[in-house]
Amino acid sequence: MNIVVQKKEWIAALLAGGRGSRLESLTEQIAKPAVTFGGKYRLIDFALTNCVRSGIDTVGVMTQYQPLLLHDYIGKGQHWDLDTLSGGVSILPPHSKLGSTAWYSGTANSVYQNQDFIESYDPDYLLVLAGDHVYKMDFSIMLDYHKEVGADCTIAVIEVPLEDASRFGIMNTDETNRIITFEEKPEIPQNNLASMGIYIFNWHVLSEFLYEDEKDLESSHDFGKDIIPTMLREGQNMFAYRFDGYWEDVGTVDSLWRANMDLLKDMHLGLESWHILSRTAGRPPQYIAPTGSIKNSLLTEGSEIYGYVENSIISAGVIIEEGAVVKDSVIMENTRVCKNAVVNYSILDEYTVVTEGAFAGMPLDSEDAKLTVYARGTVISNSEFETQNA
Amino acid sequence: MYIGLSLSDPHPDTASDGNKIRTLSATRFAGRYRLVDFMLSNMVNSKINTIGMILNSHFQSLISHIGMGKEWDLARKTGGVTFFPPYLADERQSVNSENDGPLQRAVEYIMGASEEYIVLVDSSIVYNMDYRTAIEAHRKSGADVTAIYTKKRITPNMRENAVIFDITEDGRVFGVNRAPYSSDKLNISLGAYIMRKGYFIQLTSGEKNCGMLRFSRVLLSQALSRLNVLAYEYEGYCALISSVETFYQCNMEMLDIRNRNALFDYEKRRIFTSLRDSLPTKYGINAQVNNAMIADGCQIEGTVINSIICRNVRIKEGAVVKNSILQDDTIIEKTAMLDSVVTDRGVIISEHRSLMGDVSYPVYVDRYRII
């Protein structure tokens, strides 16, 4: 018997427990949703802002891998106006209960383990989403659609290039968008309609399936691999909701770099009208010195430019000293590029130092150009560069 | 054990009409701040979390800026910011009745608080200081009042609102004066005093509302013979803004890294302000920027030289902005030229137009004007 704190029509479960190992060193010390993006955001800002803009006031954030920075960043949710009297943001790490102590074994299991949290709001619908995608989306339109078609589960989908389709959950639908088949990461995709990892479930239906899935020892307790295929097999009403805006699952360092660069192409991805909320440091404005020069780049508060910057994203508190050149790169918070240093086609994580005259990365237009990623706190000097490339 | 109280002065007559519609302490500074941010941050950085603010006319933009004080960590159950606006006590009188005004309300408020001392400050003087060192000096000295001042040369246009202390060799204030015509360093009051609550109540008895100028030049000045007033020197950067010229001059001082580093001590004493989560600023392929302080949310496609650009400003291709301060939401259309101009918020300068003032007399464009 659960106690209902306050009835809500829908609440969100934000899955933020994964590492995102394909982000290499960027997620050695922090969870993927906490990775810096676009100079002044962290990835989780997009999911949280979308929730708030869609009228959701209760968000449970499931965390597990390296949660320290993520927990600190989310705080009480005040930066997204989620410090409300009822609901707001709740951080939900794995916990022990009478009779069991368990890590989250999969995305579905993390929701299963937090049933009490969800039940306390007695929601009709549960929105499940990931904390590491870059997009802006009004989930309330998706919910309207979910109700209109009478679905038990609605999955947001987007068309992807066929050659990329094997990275995603791919579905076939009929002309009414009813989902006929669903394959998680198929080797030979039949279609290019990809799951965005955003689901709306009728909560009472989902909770049954979670319960059954938990008893299945073969299951990996994952939404895409287990829950969705099972629901489909058992004849639940499942519909695809087509989304045609910008959406990027920044799963790899290359896609993270590309999504950052997309901010330069399409002016802010039309983000002006959506206003992504975030926790900003509150530093003095950026300064460009008489020796500085900057082209086709994004800059944010607290950065100081004495050198040359082109086609780059510069985060808060970054200093580019005189004579330094930064091209085609993503420079994260509090990094310093010293005098006459050269940075090409790289991601420099927070607190990196490129020492005087050092080289980082290889030029984008060079042969076999490959993105270089420097881990948090790396000190780059020429000798190190040489050994790395030896 | 300390309670903060701020006094504000109405705009002097030299301020433009545009500035007069908001109270002085809501005036913008360094691209993203308001003058009042410095006072509030100094308080919070000195662990003074109970702050009363006596307001003057046109305080609406100030109140909407501060709100509950969330960004200064002042939205809390104990303490926080309390406003004392002027009000109509009796419909037959214009504002404030004979013996009742915001100052009397503030006196009741500080009497009711458990703190023993008050730190009385001007809400529109810009500096970055931990009051606790001055508080320590005050307690050790046994003085009745400690007055914080700085040694600084001032320009003629700052004279009007400057309060100058005469200080004895052993550091006592024995006179409060207007600024002489002088290029020497003067002992300029920062409008910041530390005293027991009782002295403040004594000094202001009979006042309905008083600004910091009146407090220093009249109330404190008259009491110098009976009070022991200690002078405490502040050695950092400070800006005294009271007119369009001083607004321009002090903002431009922020282009000097020494001033910026002295004022914004991000690691130790951060200056807080209300946050808008503007997007990062985008620089276009043809942007040319040279010696400029630029806030977030801007789109810079033209040329910017020696200027301060506030939030969400657009400077389009071919436009040239020199020696200017553009406040929030200003739009400079293609090929427009500005030199020594201050725009208030929401100004639009149309294509091909040009405006030129002088660094000693900048042109001021009132808010929401379209040129």
Side-chain angles (χ1 to χ4, degrees):
Chain A
M1 181 67 197
N2 282 296
I3 295 160
V4 175
V5 176
Q6 192 188 1
K7 165 87 185 163
K8 304 260 183 192
E9 187 191 15
W10 60 330
I11 67 172
L14 208 164
L15 310 174
R19 174 184 165 190
S21 53
R22 286 169 305 155
L23 285 183
E24 302 172 13
S25 61
L26 297 178
T27 53
E28 258 166 31
Q29 291 168 51
I30 61 174
K32 188 174 162 196
V35 169
T36 308
F37 182 78
K40 71 187 292 185
Y41 305 103
R42 292 190 188 270
L43 292 174
I44 198 170
D45 288 334
F46 293 89
L48 287 174
T49 301
N50 288 340
C51 285
V52 172
R53 295 271 182 261
S54 307
I56 296 171
D57 65 1
T58 306
V59 182
V61 183
M62 283 69 172
T63 62
Q64 176 160 281
Y65 175 80
Q66 286 284 27
L68 189 64
L69 192 147
L70 188 60
H71 287 181
D72 180 58
Y73 185 73
I74 296 169
K76 301 166 289 187
Q78 65 272 42
H79 307 282
W80 301 269
D81 281 344
L82 281 169
D83 51 340
T84 51
L85 284 178
S86 155
V89 65
S90 299
I91 290 171
L92 304 169
H95 49 276
S96 59
K97 323 177 190 31
L98 274 183
S100 81
T101 299
W103 295 102
Y104 294 150
S105 56
T107 52
N109 176 261
S110 73
V111 174
Y112 174 80
Q113 288 204 42
N114 286 292
Q115 283 181 96
D116 289 357
F117 166 79
I118 297 164
E119 292 286 353
S120 68
Y121 295 99
D122 187 23
D124 300 326
Y125 309 102
L126 180 73
L127 172 72
V128 175
L129 68 165
D132 48 10
H133 299 164
V134 177
Y135 64 119
K136 50 173 191 161
M137 182 172 175
D138 187 341
F139 302 130
S140 71
I141 300 170
M142 181 173 167
L143 180 65
D144 289 344
Y145 175 82
H146 177 84
K147 291 185 207 166
E148 193 187 305
V149 296
D152 296 308
C153 168
T154 300
I155 304 175
V157 297
I158 192 164
E159 290 184 22
V160 295
L162 198 57
E163 63 267 27
D164 289 351
S166 55
R167 281 171 49 205
F168 297 96
I170 296 295
M171 58 203 83
N172 282 304
T173 59
D174 69 10
E175 66 281 5
T176 64
N177 284 326
R178 180 184 289 274
I179 298 167
I180 311 293
T181 60
F182 180 95
E183 277 186 280
E184 182 71 9
K185 298 184 179 131
E187 272 176 40
I188 304 154
Q190 306 295 315
N191 197 334
N192 69 338
L193 211 51
S195 165
M196 296 164 67
I198 300 166
Y199 315 99
I200 293 178
F201 293 99
N202 290 350
W203 168 242
H204 68 94
V205 175
L206 176 65
S207 70
E208 298 284 323
F209 278 91
L210 290 175
Y211 183 72
E212 292 302 320
D213 180 68
E214 223 26 61
K215 291 194 293 194
D216 181 357
L217 297 174
E218 303 287 301
S219 174
S220 55
H221 310 303
D222 184 86
F223 278 104
K225 289 194 197 106
D226 307 294
I227 301 290
I228 302 297
T230 310
M231 286 180 80
L232 207 53
R233 249 193 334 269
E234 302 205 357
Q236 298 294 317
N237 275 328
M238 301 182 68
F239 283 82
Y241 171 77
R242 284 168 184 266
F243 178 74
D244 58 6
Y246 181 92
W247 176 81
E248 182 73 56
D249 173 2
V250 285
T252 62
V253 285
D254 287 299
S255 65
L256 179 68
W257 181 86
R258 199 174 56 239
N260 270 287
M261 291 300 150
D262 284 345
L263 289 169
L264 294 175
K265 265 191 252 156
D266 170 8
M267 181 52 205
H268 294 162
L269 308 174
L271 293 178
E272 298 97 327
S273 57
W274 197 242
H275 198 167
I276 301 300
L277 302 170
S278 72
R279 175 174 193 166
T280 46
R283 297 166 190 260
Q286 54 209 265
Y287 173 71
I288 292 139
T291 54
S293 178
I294 178 157
K295 296 213 179 311
N296 193 38
S297 295
L298 284 191
L299 235 73
T300 188
E301 56 185 49
S303 52
E304 295 179 14
I305 310 296
Y306 300 88
Y308 179 77
V309 176
E310 189 182 319
N311 300 334
S312 295
I313 311 291
I314 311 288
S315 310
V318 169
I319 296 172
I320 313 286
E321 293 184 3
E322 212 174 317
V325 175
V326 175
K327 276 183 174 176
D328 307 305
S329 295
V330 177
I331 314 289
M332 297 187 180
E333 252 176 79
N334 296 314
T335 283
R336 181 183 277 266
V337 180
C338 298
K339 277 185 186 166
N340 306 321
V342 178
V343 178
N344 271 302
Y345 193 25
S346 297
I347 296 178
L348 267 53
D349 202 352
E350 302 174 326
Y351 297 97
T352 300
V353 178
V354 187
T355 57
E356 197 170 328
F359 291 87
M362 51 180 93
L364 183 56
D365 51 13
S366 64
E367 246 177 88
D368 309 321
K370 196 175 162 294
L371 178 70
T372 315
V373 179
Y374 294 93
R376 190 181 161 94
T378 309
V379 177
I380 303 161
S381 61
N382 270 340
S383 53
E384 236 174 300
F385 179 78
E386 280 151 16
T387 45
Q388 272 178 15
N389 284 273
Chain B
M1 71 187 287
Y2 288 79
I3 185 168
L5 187 67
S6 79
L7 302 181
S8 59
D9 285 295
H11 268 287
D13 295 336
T14 48
S16 82
D17 293 343
N19 254 339
K20 273 183 207 158
I21 58 167
R22 67 176 82 91
T23 195
L24 181 62
S25 43
T27 298
R28 288 189 175 77
F29 189 73
R32 73 177 302 182
Y33 301 95
R34 309 265 191 161
L35 301 186
V36 72
D37 293 339
F38 296 87
M39 176 284 268
L40 286 175
S41 302
N42 286 340
M43 288 283 181
V44 171
N45 290 335
S46 309
K47 305 275 180 240
I48 299 170
N49 299 317
T50 306
I51 302 163
M53 294 187 69
I54 298 180
L55 305 178
N56 234 297
S57 52
H58 305 306
F59 48 77
Q60 192 271 324
S61 60
L62 183 72
I63 290 186
S64 50
H65 174 71
I66 299 172
M68 297 283 291
K70 183 173 163 181
E71 272 94 1
W72 296 268
D73 209 7
L74 287 167
R76 42 177 75 210
K77 286 192 175 173
T78 46
V81 189
T82 307
F83 296 111
F84 300 97
Y87 58 96
L88 218 55
D90 181 321
E91 57 191 28
R92 281 164 300 174
Q93 279 136 359
S94 57
V95 176
N96 306 331
S97 74
E98 283 307 308
N99 46 20
D100 191 11
L103 193 66
Q104 296 320 322
R105 290 276 161 264
V107 163
E108 281 172 26
Y109 166 76
I110 62 172
M111 285 305 287
S114 59
E115 289 86 351
E116 209 178 323
Y117 293 87
I118 76 165
V119 176
L120 178 72
V121 297
D122 189 307
S123 59
S124 53
I125 297 182
V126 171
Y127 56 97
N128 183 342
M129 173 178 187
D130 188 336
Y131 294 125
R132 285 175 295 185
T133 52
I135 286 168
E136 187 67 27
H138 175 76
R139 291 170 68 180
K140 275 194 186 143
S141 72
D144 299 326
V145 177
T146 291
I148 301 169
Y149 75 103
T150 192
K151 285 187 177 141
K152 184 181 162 80
R153 287 187 186 85
I154 58 170
T155 51
N157 55 20
M158 288 178 178
R159 285 188 60 251
E160 188 177 359
N161 282 343
V163 169
I164 310 298
F165 290 143
D166 294 327
I167 300 172
T168 62
E169 271 179 19
D170 62 344
R172 307 281 148 185
V173 177
F174 69 92
V176 179
N177 291 305
R178 285 174 181 270
Y181 284 99
S182 161
S183 57
D184 293 343
K185 281 193 172 181
L186 301 170
N187 299 323
I188 299 167
S189 165
L190 288 186
Y193 301 98
I194 299 158
M195 66 193 97
R196 274 181 192 277
K197 290 194 296 194
Y199 284 116
F200 176 73
I201 292 160
Q202 244 180 53
L203 284 166
T204 56
S205 71
E207 296 286 316
K208 288 179 295 182
N209 191 356
C210 104
M212 187 50 88
L213 281 181
R214 178 168 166 78
F215 180 85
S216 301
R217 283 180 178 163
V218 182
L219 306 181
L220 183 75
S221 176
Q222 285 169 353
L224 282 178
S225 56
R226 56 191 165 84
L227 291 183
N228 178 6
V229 180
L230 175 78
Y232 182 88
E233 188 183 351
Y234 161 77
E235 290 178 337
Y237 173 85
C238 94
L240 300 163
I241 293 174
S242 58
S243 61
V244 172
E245 288 82 15
T246 49
F247 166 81
Y248 179 79
Q249 198 177 317
C250 294
N251 267 288
M252 284 301 176
E253 284 175 356
M254 284 297 105
L255 292 177
D256 185 331
I257 190 171
R258 287 165 298 182
N259 293 333
R260 228 171 34 244
N261 286 347
L263 185 59
F264 297 106
D265 189 345
Y266 183 77
E267 302 302 326
K268 275 196 229 132
R269 292 193 304 274
R270 198 177 294 192
I271 303 299
F272 303 92
T273 186
S274 77
L275 301 172
R276 279 214 228 151
D277 292 1
S278 303
L279 295 161
T281 285
K282 162 97 192 268
Y283 294 81
I285 293 166
N286 297 314
Q288 292 205 21
V289 186
N290 186 335
N291 197 31
M293 191 174 199
I294 299 178
D296 274 6
C298 298
Q299 294 179 37
I300 312 288
E301 285 147 47
T303 300
V304 183
I305 300 167
N306 295 337
S307 296
I308 309 269
I309 311 294
C310 300
R311 287 186 280 205
N312 304 328
V313 168
R314 293 198 63 168
I315 299 174
K316 299 197 180 164
E317 257 185 82
V320 178
V321 176
K322 268 188 192 168
N323 306 318
S324 295
I325 299 169
L326 309 184
Q327 299 191 50
D328 298 31
D329 308 315
T330 295
I331 298 174
I332 310 297
E333 297 285 357
K334 285 181 182 166
T335 68
M337 313 270 274
L338 301 184
D339 191 346
S340 306
V341 173
V342 176
T343 62
D344 205 327
R345 72 174 305 170
V347 166
I348 299 173
I349 311 286
S350 311
E351 285 185 28
H352 309 309
R353 300 299 188 282
S354 62
L355 269 183
M356 194 185 229
D358 187 83
V359 289
S360 64
Y361 195 85
V363 173
Y364 192 95
V365 185
D366 264 345
R367 58 189 206 161
Y368 302 117
R369 292 299 159 88
I370 298 172
I371 290 182

